[in-house]
Structure formats: structure tokens, C-alpha cells
Amino acid sequence: SQQGEEDPQALSIQEGENATMNCSYKTSINNLQWYRQNSGRGLVHLILIRSNEREKHSGRLRVTLDTSKKSSSLLITASRAADTASYFCATEYSNSGYALNFGKGTSLLVTP
Amino acid sequence: SAVISQKPSRDICQRGTSLTIQCQVDSQVTMMFWYRQQPGQSLTLIATANQGSEATYESGFVIDKFPISRPNLTFSTLTVSNMSPEDSSIYLCSAEWVQREYRNEQFFGPGTRLTVL
């Protein structure tokens, strides 16, 4: 079963606005990763945040992790139409080594 | 980041036939995995491809239906056998380098979009 749950399921914003997506998970993790998927294509790795980290930045992306609440958030600042995609959080399976358990994803639409 | 390629990128197959998907990584990796993404859904792990030994399958997936090979550290195949329309999905391989600077980061191939008629 899926460990991660993204919220909201769908988000529609205008260019220039910020987009925030949340991810909650159920069990202890070593790390949490965020991915982007455009129109059913391959996944693009965005950021990995480890359990001992609280915040990480990459360009216009900011990820936070709160292990006490078992939640993470992905913030995209100054969004662009090209950011339109589905965003997934993923945590490591406990029984399958390094395999990932994906949430259902947030579908982001950025309109000009 | 790593370069992972998959072949074919898409295919349309007839019910009852089999399709083998290839995954090639540009450098030796520690871990390789196969995932399935059904239409409008998230990714589900099919199996861990083990180099030189049988793959480790997740609940709901069996070797007879999804045989996997991994003959070396850069290549793996997934076969979807005796296909039915329910097998129509995107199949993605991924790789992880445990001992490199991308430790624990898992990279994905572009996926194979399979349609079964």
C-alpha cells in the first residue's frame, strides 16, 4: 500500500504565484524524495531530504521535513507554465531495501 | 544525474502476447527496480531486479507474469507475459547508486507506455 499521501490532489494557480504541496507518511523513514512527472512520461528527480534535515533548497524549490508530524512540503516559488505537471513524494520501503513507496501525487496546473 | 534509457518507448500489443522491456543505465548501479503506473494512478513497485539472481517480487506480482532478468550491473529486462488489457500501463525502471554522491537518490527511465488490445 502507498505510504505517502499528497495534498491537495489538484492545484491550479497563475504564473508567478507560489505552489505548495504537502505529503504525509505513516512510518519512520530514512529519507523522502520529490519527483515531477510531465504528461505520463518518466519521473524527474527533484530533491532528496534526509530524516536529519529540516529544510532543503534547489533553485525555486524548497522542501521541508517534519519527522515528528511525519510530513513534508514542497514549495515552488514564482511558478511558470512549464511547472505544470504531477508531483509525487516517495519514501523508502521498509522491506524492499531501497525501493520507493509513492504517494498518489498532486496535479499542478499553472496558467499564464 | 544518471542516464537511464528504456526500449521500447511505447508499444501496442495484442492480448495473449508478451513484450520484453529493456532498461540500460550509463554506469554500474547498485540497485535496479521496476515499477508500474496504471492510467491516472501513482507508481507501484513490481520487483527489485537482483544482479545474477532471481528478482524479489512485491505482493501481487509473480515471476511467471513478470519475469525479470539482470545479467550485469547496467542492464535489466522486464517481460510482461500473456498480456491482457489490464496490463495497459506505463512501466518504468529505476536505478540507485548506494555508494556514490547521489546516495539514496533514485533515478528513473523515461518509461514504456504499453497498450494491450
Side-chain angles (χ1 to χ4, degrees):
Chain A
S1 63
Q2 287 162 328
Q3 156 135 272
E5 291 287 340
E6 286 92 340
D7 169 52
Q9 291 187 354
L11 180 61
S12 181
I13 59 174
Q14 292 191 316
E15 271 191 327
E17 295 181 337
N18 295 341
T20 299
M21 287 158 268
N22 302 298
C23 169
S24 60
Y25 56 91
K26 298 175 183 176
T27 62
S28 297
I29 60 172
N30 293 323
N31 61 69
L32 184 145
Q33 304 183 55
W34 284 91
Y35 291 86
R36 183 185 74 229
Q37 185 179 40
N38 294 84
S39 302
R41 298 175 187 170
L43 271 68
V44 174
H45 187 273
L46 297 177
I47 286 183
L48 178 149
I49 186 165
R50 303 191 189 280
S51 59
N52 61 351
E53 297 174 318
R54 292 296 168 258
E55 189 171 309
K56 212 164 181 179
H57 298 254
S58 177
R60 294 184 295 113
L61 307 180
R62 172 179 163 241
V63 167
T64 62
L65 179 64
D66 187 335
T67 53
S68 66
K69 296 181 179 178
K70 293 186 170 58
S71 67
S72 174
S73 68
L74 170 66
L75 168 67
I76 304 174
T77 59
S79 63
R80 307 165 182 169
D83 295 327
T84 294
S86 292
Y87 292 82
F88 296 91
C89 68
T91 56
E92 285 184 0
Y93 264 68
S94 60
N95 297 325
S96 299
Y98 301 94
L100 296 177
N101 197 348
F102 282 81
K104 295 181 179 179
T106 293
S107 178
L108 174 65
L109 174 63
V110 183
T111 55
Chain B
S1 61
V3 175
I4 304 174
S5 60
Q6 281 185 237
K7 289 194 298 186
S9 58
R10 58 177 60 227
D11 208 341
I12 301 173
C13 301
Q14 296 297 319
R15 181 194 300 260
T17 63
S18 298
L19 175 72
T20 295
I21 303 168
Q22 299 180 4
C23 178
Q24 179 74 53
V25 187
D26 67 344
S27 61
Q28 293 185 351
V29 296
T30 306
M31 309 293 290
M32 293 184 76
F33 306 95
W34 287 96
Y35 293 83
R36 179 177 74 181
Q37 186 177 29
Q38 294 176 303
Q41 303 296 313
S42 186
L43 280 76
T44 301
L45 178 70
I46 298 172
T48 301
N50 300 309
Q51 193 262 327
S53 64
E54 191 172 289
T56 304
Y57 290 85
E58 294 302 304
S59 176
F61 297 96
V62 295
I63 188 171
D64 290 346
K65 176 67 174 177
F66 297 101
I68 288 170
S69 77
R70 188 180 172 192
N72 55 53
L73 294 176
T74 63
F75 184 77
S76 179
T77 66
L78 167 73
T79 299
V80 186
S81 304
N82 189 25
M83 288 184 284
S84 66
E86 292 71 35
D87 294 320
S88 297
S89 297
I90 299 174
Y91 292 85
L92 300 104
C93 71
S94 69
E96 184 166 331
W97 290 256
V98 178
Q99 280 85 35
R100 272 180 53 170
E101 61 185 289
Y102 304 120
R103 182 169 62 93
N104 299 136
E105 292 183 355
Q106 199 165 123
F107 296 95
F108 282 79
T112 296
R113 185 181 292 271
L114 171 62
T115 301
V116 183
L117 303 178

